[in-house]
Amino acid sequence: MSQYKIIFTGPVGAGKTTAIQSISDIAPVKTDAAASDMTKSRKAATTVAMDYGVMNLAGGEKLHLYGTPGQERFDFMWDILTSGGIGLILLLDNTRTDPFQDMRFFLEAFSDFIKKTQVAIGVTQMDLSSRPVINDYHKKLKEMDKNIPVFTVDARVKNDVSLLIQALLYSLDPGLEA
């Protein structure tokens, strides 16, 4: 039985915990604490160490899903969580002031990991803020000389999260079967 590790990252409120919860085949492990800084204006609790879930695949393979804290002050966890990982899912919140800045920040913060693996991007909250559009993300990535799959994602919807994971896995191995 093969086991693989995928990391979910992104800013506070982008949907990392929700995405893992929507796709996990086990009850996710969460390390939420009451928000005590500017985060409390976005949500009452925030991840302080990690989220963890498991996705069972055909043939007995397992994807271990780890969500990072979104706050930079917990960035020491990022290196710990990426160890042994095969890829990164970056979730971006379209309602934030500058989601492109968030995208640049997280792509840079995880650049060493991404160089060894792959990344796929999911943009959440597009139902609450229709701008920027997905094509704008593609343009920004092209300006950064990056070719990364980008999707609109509702982190509460299992099929949306599944599509994002599939895109990441196909980036890792284009010969995979559906």
Side-chain angles (χ1 to χ4, degrees), residues 59-73:
E61 296 174 314
K62 292 184 181 287
L63 287 180
H64 296 271
L65 313 169
Y66 288 85
T68 71
Q71 296 177 55
E72 192 174 352
R73 67 185 171 134

Side-chain angles (χ1 to χ4, degrees), residues 30-171:
K30 302 177 195 176
T31 60
D32 287 351
S36 60
D37 56 10
M38 68 255 184
T39 301
K40 65 184 171 187
S41 67
R42 295 191 65 83
K43 58 187 207 168
T46 189
T47 302
V48 294
M50 69 174 185
D51 295 313
Y52 171 74
V54 174
M55 188 175 165
N56 296 312
L57 302 177
E61 296 174 314
K62 292 184 181 287
L63 287 180
H64 296 271
L65 313 169
Y66 288 85
T68 71
Q71 296 177 55
E72 192 174 352
R73 67 185 171 134
F74 297 117
D75 66 353
F76 63 92
M77 288 299 300
W78 299 351
D79 286 336
I80 294 168
L81 293 174
T82 57
S83 178
I86 63 167
L88 184 74
I89 299 225
L90 172 56
L91 294 177
L92 299 169
D93 178 351
N94 213 46
T95 66
R96 286 179 52 99
T97 306
D98 189 350
F100 297 135
Q101 180 180 346
D102 293 336
M103 183 172 67
R104 282 187 296 274
F105 173 80
F106 281 94
L107 289 174
E108 177 57 34
F110 287 87
S111 64
D112 289 342
F113 179 65
I114 294 168
K115 286 176 192 169
K116 296 182 272 185
T117 63
Q118 291 291 335
V119 62
I121 298 174
V123 182
T124 64
Q125 310 289 346
M126 292 196 79
D127 55 329
L128 301 177
S129 177
S130 61
R131 297 272 185 232
V133 297
I134 288 296
N135 197 39
D136 296 328
Y137 286 90
H138 286 286
K139 287 178 187 174
K140 286 291 182 188
L141 288 165
K142 188 173 183 177
E143 289 171 12
M144 297 169 66
D145 199 30
K146 299 197 179 294
N147 184 18
I148 299 172
V150 183
F151 299 92
T152 300
V153 173
D154 183 333
R156 301 167 295 188
V157 177
K158 183 176 184 172
N159 286 341
D160 284 12
V161 180
S162 178
L163 176 68
L164 196 53
I165 291 171
Q166 288 175 51
L168 175 64
L169 294 175
Y170 290 140
S171 295

